[in-house]
């Protein structure tokens, strides 16, 4: 299974990118900044990969510069376990900007690990707090799965990351690639179809490799897609937004929402939430105020513990 997973990554991200990021023996993500990713004709390499991944859409692909979100995890992947990682977090697509200067060096990032989830050599988990979106996502996940007062505020985020909690997570996007930089504002023909055609193959294979206890989808587009690809599996249980105090607020009519499915004799709970890294989602995750934040987090956490009667 380990070799099949390696082949899966090579197919979807390119051999050069995968081998630069992965430890060849352990399938853990390399520590430190991998400058190999910034060498050579990356745009050409990217388009060669996408030509294979999205062959039917190659006319559109060749017009733009593209970038990848490589999946993120901490530690190794043990495929002998029934759940390779407990929690699979799925966003929509990469958001990678144009080239920029840092300490006198021009950085043109074409590949990054999703939300910085990998061990780094500079300081432990430093990439996780690279910008506000990263800090918000990991803070919110910590708040949902851990009962710790200090986790409810963004400011206290850096000192409260639990390495053991992070080791439970595998994070990726519905589409592992997207147009990079300012070109994202372009009205790309059929982008929604390109993204979904690719995700039909990429996400279902990811779920079957990782076999999580929980799938956390960020936003309606991702959540609707996850329910569509899981619809052929037995749905066991559901908890609708109206069963949450926060869900009765008309601004949050689609969130939170739990569904459990049986997949390959394993139970998976799909958790529909607003985008975890966004402070603009009708204020669901903000303001950064303990008294206003805590009731939402407490309710989601306590109901998730009871939902499905499985180990949290």
């Amino acid at each position: 299974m380990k070799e099949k997973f390696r082949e899966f990554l090579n197919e979807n991200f390119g051999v050069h990118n995968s081998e630069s990021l992965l430890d060849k023996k352990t399938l853990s993500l390399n520590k430190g900044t991998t400058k190999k990713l910034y060498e050579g004709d990356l745009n050409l390499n990217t388009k060669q990969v996408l030509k294979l991944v999205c062959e039917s859409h190659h006319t559109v692909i060749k017009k733009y510069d593209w970038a990848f979100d490589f999946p993120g995890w901490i530690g190794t992947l043990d495929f002998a376990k029934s759940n390779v990682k407990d929690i699979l977090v799925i966003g929509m697509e990469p958001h990678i900007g144009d080239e920029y200067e840092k300490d006198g060096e021009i950085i043109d990032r074409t590949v990054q690990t999703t939300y910085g989830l990998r061990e780094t050599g500079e300081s432990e988990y430093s990439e996780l707090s690279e910008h506000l979106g990263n800090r918000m996502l990991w803070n919110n996940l910590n708040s949902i799965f851990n009962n710790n007062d200090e986790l409810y505020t963004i400011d206290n985020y850096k000192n409260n990351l639990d390495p053991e909690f992070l080791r439970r997570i595998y994070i990726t996007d519905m589409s592992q690639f997207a147009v990079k930089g300012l070109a994202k504002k372009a009205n790309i023909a059929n982008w929604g179809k390109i993204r979904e055609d690719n995700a039909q193959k990429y996400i279902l294979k990811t779920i079957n490799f990782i076999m999580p206890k929980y799938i956390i989808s960020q936003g309606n587009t991702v959540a609707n897609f996850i329910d569509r690809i899981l619809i052929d599996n037995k749905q066991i249980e559901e908890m609708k937004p109206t069963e949450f105090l926060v869900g009765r607020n008309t601004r949050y009519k689609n969130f939170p929402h739990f569904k459990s499915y049986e997949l390959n004799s394993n139970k998976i709970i799909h958790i529909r939430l607003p985008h975890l890294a966004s402070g603009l989602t009708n204020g669901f995750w903000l303001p950064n105020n303990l008294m206003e934040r805590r009731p939402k987090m407490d309710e989601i956490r306590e109901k998730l513990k009871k939902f499905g009667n499985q180990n949290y």
Side-chain angles (χ1 to χ4, degrees):
M1 185 64 79
K2 180 188 290 187
E3 287 309 309
K4 287 184 178 179
F5 182 72
R6 193 189 302 275
E7 290 171 9
F8 167 72
L9 294 178
N10 288 343
E11 176 187 329
N12 284 282
F13 298 93
V15 174
H16 171 74
N17 294 332
S18 297
E19 290 188 350
S20 296
L21 279 165
L22 286 174
D23 183 286
K24 292 181 180 179
K25 293 182 180 179
T26 64
L27 267 190
S28 59
L29 288 169
N30 284 324
K31 295 183 180 181
T33 302
T34 311
K35 289 194 175 182
K36 292 178 184 177
L37 290 173
Y38 307 141
E39 297 171 356
D41 192 342
L42 292 176
N43 191 43
L44 176 61
N45 179 57
T46 300
K47 288 185 177 180
Q48 287 172 341
V49 175
L50 293 181
K51 183 178 180 180
L52 299 174
V53 172
C54 313
E55 189 171 355
S56 61
H57 299 292
H58 189 54
T59 302
V60 174
I61 293 296
K62 66 184 181 182
K63 289 182 180 180
Y64 300 96
D65 291 342
W66 301 80
F68 288 108
D69 259 4
F70 199 84
W73 67 88
I74 296 290
T76 60
L77 299 175
D78 184 356
F79 290 99
K81 296 168 63 176
S82 56
N83 306 108
V84 177
K85 293 289 184 182
D86 288 345
I87 303 165
L88 171 59
V89 182
I90 303 176
M92 187 157 67
E93 61 190 46
H95 293 273
I96 299 179
D98 291 311
E99 66 178 38
Y100 62 96
E101 184 176 341
K102 182 179 181 181
D103 299 327
E105 182 181 5
I106 299 298
I107 304 295
D108 187 8
R109 186 177 287 188
T110 302
V111 180
Q112 65 182 12
T113 51
T114 312
Y115 286 99
L117 186 59
R118 66 188 180 106
E119 294 156 302
T120 68
E122 299 170 11
S123 61
E124 195 170 25
Y125 312 128
S126 63
E127 292 186 26
L128 300 185
S129 57
E130 195 172 65
H131 53 73
L132 180 61
N134 286 14
R135 292 198 297 275
M136 286 191 64
L137 181 134
W138 299 115
N139 175 273
N140 288 325
L141 282 177
N142 269 279
S143 299
I144 290 169
F145 283 87
N146 292 285
N147 188 10
N148 181 335
D149 286 350
E150 294 181 334
L151 292 172
Y152 290 92
T153 60
I154 302 299
D155 291 341
N156 285 332
Y157 158 83
K158 282 189 177 181
N159 298 322
N160 291 290
L161 276 179
D162 178 0
E164 291 309 308
F165 171 68
L166 291 175
R167 287 177 184 277
R168 298 175 64 191
I169 296 171
Y170 183 102
I171 186 166
T172 191
D173 287 323
M174 177 178 160
S175 175
Q176 76 274 32
F177 63 91
V179 169
K180 67 177 293 189
L182 295 176
K184 281 189 74 68
K185 296 181 180 179
N187 185 19
I188 300 175
N190 299 322
W191 170 238
K193 180 170 174 52
I194 295 171
R195 183 174 59 204
E196 182 143 339
D197 285 353
N198 169 67
Q200 289 282 352
K201 298 175 288 185
Y202 174 69
I203 290 299
L204 196 54
K205 285 184 179 179
T206 296
I207 292 171
N208 279 298
F209 274 119
I210 303 303
M211 289 309 300
K213 293 180 181 178
Y214 305 98
I215 296 175
I216 298 179
S217 56
Q218 298 196 72
N220 282 318
T221 299
V222 180
N224 292 337
F225 172 77
I226 295 300
D227 281 335
R228 285 199 299 276
I229 64 172
L230 292 178
I231 198 168
D232 291 335
N233 298 283
K234 181 181 178 183
Q235 183 180 319
I236 305 169
E237 193 176 358
E238 181 175 13
M239 184 174 286
K240 297 180 180 180
T242 52
E243 297 178 62
F244 294 82
L245 291 174
V246 65
R248 294 171 195 165
N249 185 318
T250 55
R251 291 187 299 166
Y252 314 133
K253 62 182 179 180
N254 296 312
F255 309 105
H257 195 161
F258 301 163
K259 286 184 181 181
S260 61
Y261 294 91
E262 187 177 293
L263 178 64
N264 299 331
S265 300
N266 287 294
K267 184 176 184 177
I268 295 178
I269 293 177
H270 176 206
I271 305 168
R272 178 191 290 251
L273 293 172
H275 198 287
L276 286 150
S278 174
L280 303 177
T281 315
N282 294 324
F284 190 95
W285 302 116
L286 293 179
N288 183 19
N289 179 295
L290 175 61
M291 297 308 293
E292 294 188 44
R293 243 172 105 70
R294 181 160 189 165
K296 297 176 187 177
M297 299 300 188
D298 283 353
E299 184 181 27
I300 293 171
R301 184 179 58 255
E302 293 307 312
K303 288 191 173 177
L304 185 57
K305 282 181 181 179
K306 297 175 182 177
F307 185 79
N309 295 317
Q310 70 177 41
N311 291 333
Y312 192 60

